Amino acid sequence: MPTIDDLELRPGHRVLLRADLNVPLRTAPDGTRVVADSFRIDAALSTIARLLEAGAEVVVCSHLGRPKGVDSAFDMEPVRAVIADHFPEVEVLENLRFDPREEANDPGFAAELAAGFDVYVNDAFGVSHRRHASIVGVPPLLPSAGGITLLEEVKNLTLLLEAPARPYVAVLGGAKVSDKLGLLNALVRQVDTLLVGGGMCFTFLAARGVEVGDSLVEEQMIDQCQHLLDTGKVVLPLDIMGLATGDSFGEGERTGEPQRFGLGVPAGYRGLDVGAATVERFGEILVDARSILWNGPMGVFEDPRFRQGTDGVAAAIGRSEAYSVVGGGDSVAALHQAGLAKNVSHLSTGGGATLEYLEHGDLVGLAALRHSREP
């Protein structure tokens, strides 16, 4: 992978830096939009500093959210304000996804982005699995390299792929088996134990013949879950926290009293988190691990009634002495809220990109850098 040093930067060189500045926003008391969590911006600062130290002129480009065309709710102004606090001289272009040609990987848009620049640097690992113009369209047009954060991501994730210390334990959550089937199939070949929580656990429980009430189940995935269970590596929850089907949950209105169920969820109820016995069991397995991967919450993390599973896993991984990699917004947020983020070996800026790299060992954005235009 070409690095910034390979670019042989000189004072005055213009650098187009693709960063991942897709951060959550909130409304301040005065009504302005501000950055709610600067984790991804902070991750880009070391690369910006390195480029400026070489005397380069840096222009940063990124997407923000999923706008449908130009939308002031997704303009880059809140991000510009944070970048300016660190580097007032750095320009931040407007949201790339305001132009539909970005996601269409339009060659004309890539050429417009590259025009006037001497080199290109990709530090946006979190979107390097996307075949977008700013990721794969620009490298053929300019001498290109990976940024500091991107290369650190590759180095840390490759440790899990090539020679993880054992036992190697993965913890997966999230809503659907179908979203992570490829990764699940890859992980059962790589890990010693796979702990499954989140909404996806109910399809696994259904495959085992356990009653799951009105919990989320992907019927079309039951056979695939049974195949994964047959490996003997999958560990499922021992107990479940849930609500009556008519009750509401999540970030909005919340009704009903949480109920704890043992093995199985009765009719008229749906599971929304793992229970205390599961947290204890998962913790016992994690304490003996030498390598850990965690991606995805154990329950409806945004509802405080159903975050004990996610918090419990965060605490267990934070106490562990294993080499640990955590990716995905809710997982990283749980560690930050618990004050345990510094206890983890590597916090990944990627969600889907992290999972795809662990599944395939490469990303289209990385391949584009390796085949970029020669200096």
Side-chain angles (χ1 to χ4, degrees):
M1 189 74 63
T3 70
I4 292 172
D5 289 337
D6 296 322
L7 296 174
E8 298 182 354
L9 291 173
R10 297 189 299 275
H13 266 168
R14 283 175 52 81
V15 179
L16 178 65
L17 172 62
R18 179 40 162 118
D20 182 5
L21 308 180
N22 184 29
V23 294
L25 304 178
R26 62 178 177 83
T27 302
D30 63 0
T32 59
R33 294 175 305 126
V34 297
V35 172
D37 182 347
S38 64
F39 174 60
R40 284 177 172 161
I41 297 175
D42 296 340
L45 297 180
S46 56
T47 295
I48 296 173
R50 172 70 179 82
L51 295 170
L52 292 175
E53 287 167 3
E57 179 183 337
V58 180
V59 177
V60 182
C61 63
S62 177
H63 72 288
L64 180 62
R66 297 181 178 180
K68 303 298 182 184
V70 178
D71 185 342
S72 61
F74 295 99
D75 70 42
M76 300 297 293
E77 197 54 40
V79 173
R80 286 193 187 97
V82 177
I83 295 289
D85 285 341
H86 296 275
F87 304 109
E89 71 273 45
V90 170
E91 179 184 355
V92 179
L93 299 181
E94 193 45 271
N95 192 334
L96 291 169
R97 290 185 183 175
F98 280 2
D99 194 317
R101 296 178 297 167
E102 159 68 355
E103 293 182 86
N105 189 22
D106 181 89
F109 187 59
E112 289 177 22
L113 286 173
F117 289 96
D118 299 293
V119 298
Y120 165 82
V121 174
N122 181 2
D123 207 31
F125 178 82
V127 285
S128 287
H129 60 317
R130 304 293 189 192
R131 199 175 292 276
H132 293 172
S134 66
I135 299 296
V136 300
V138 176
L141 307 177
L142 293 172
S144 304
I148 293 171
T149 295
L150 181 139
L151 294 174
E152 279 293 309
E153 292 274 12
V154 171
K155 181 184 77 172
N156 283 283
L157 294 176
T158 301
L159 288 174
L160 289 182
L161 278 176
E162 294 185 347
R166 297 194 179 273
Y168 175 15
V169 179
V171 188
L172 282 192
K176 296 182 178 180
V177 174
S178 55
D179 290 342
K180 296 180 179 177
L181 182 61
L183 177 68
L184 286 161
N185 286 322
L187 283 177
V188 292
R189 296 191 296 269
Q190 300 167 4
V191 305
D192 299 289
T193 307
L194 178 58
L195 310 179
V196 176
M200 69 168 62
C201 78
F202 299 108
T203 304
F204 278 92
L205 289 168
R208 185 169 279 176
V210 175
E211 292 295 327
V212 294
D214 295 327
S215 305
L216 176 64
V217 173
E218 294 179 280
E219 298 287 346
Q220 75 277 15
M221 292 287 113
I222 287 180
D223 287 345
Q224 288 89 336
C225 288
Q226 185 58 61
H227 172 73
L228 292 163
L229 289 169
D230 289 342
T231 66
K233 293 183 177 182
V234 177
V235 177
L236 298 179
L238 301 175
D239 57 346
I240 297 294
M241 299 297 296
L243 282 177
T245 302
D247 289 330
S248 59
F249 60 92
E251 292 183 302
E253 180 185 359
R254 299 163 183 154
T255 61
E257 288 295 320
Q259 304 291 318
R260 178 183 177 275
F261 308 110
L263 191 60
V265 178
Y269 291 86
R270 54 188 165 193
L272 298 169
D273 193 12
V274 301
T278 302
V279 171
E280 182 177 359
R281 178 61 180 140
F282 283 11
E284 291 170 349
I285 295 170
L286 289 166
V287 76
D288 292 327
R290 298 289 306 283
S291 299
I292 295 172
L293 167 69
W294 179 25
N295 179 277
M298 296 292 98
V300 183
F301 176 75
E302 62 270 21
D303 187 325
R305 298 174 298 174
F306 301 109
R307 58 180 298 166
Q308 73 163 358
T310 302
D311 287 346
V313 166
I317 293 175
R319 291 192 300 267
S320 171
E321 296 181 1
Y323 175 77
S324 51
V325 173
V326 177
D330 286 340
S331 305
V332 172
L335 283 163
H336 279 296
Q337 290 177 20
L340 296 170
K342 293 183 179 179
N343 295 36
V344 173
S345 306
H346 179 62
L347 289 179
S348 179
T349 57
T354 300
L355 302 185
E356 190 164 320
Y357 186 80
L358 290 171
E359 181 180 348
H360 299 293
D362 202 6
L363 301 174
V364 291
L366 306 183
L369 290 177
R370 294 197 300 270
H371 299 93
S372 62
R373 202 189 85 183
E374 291 294 325

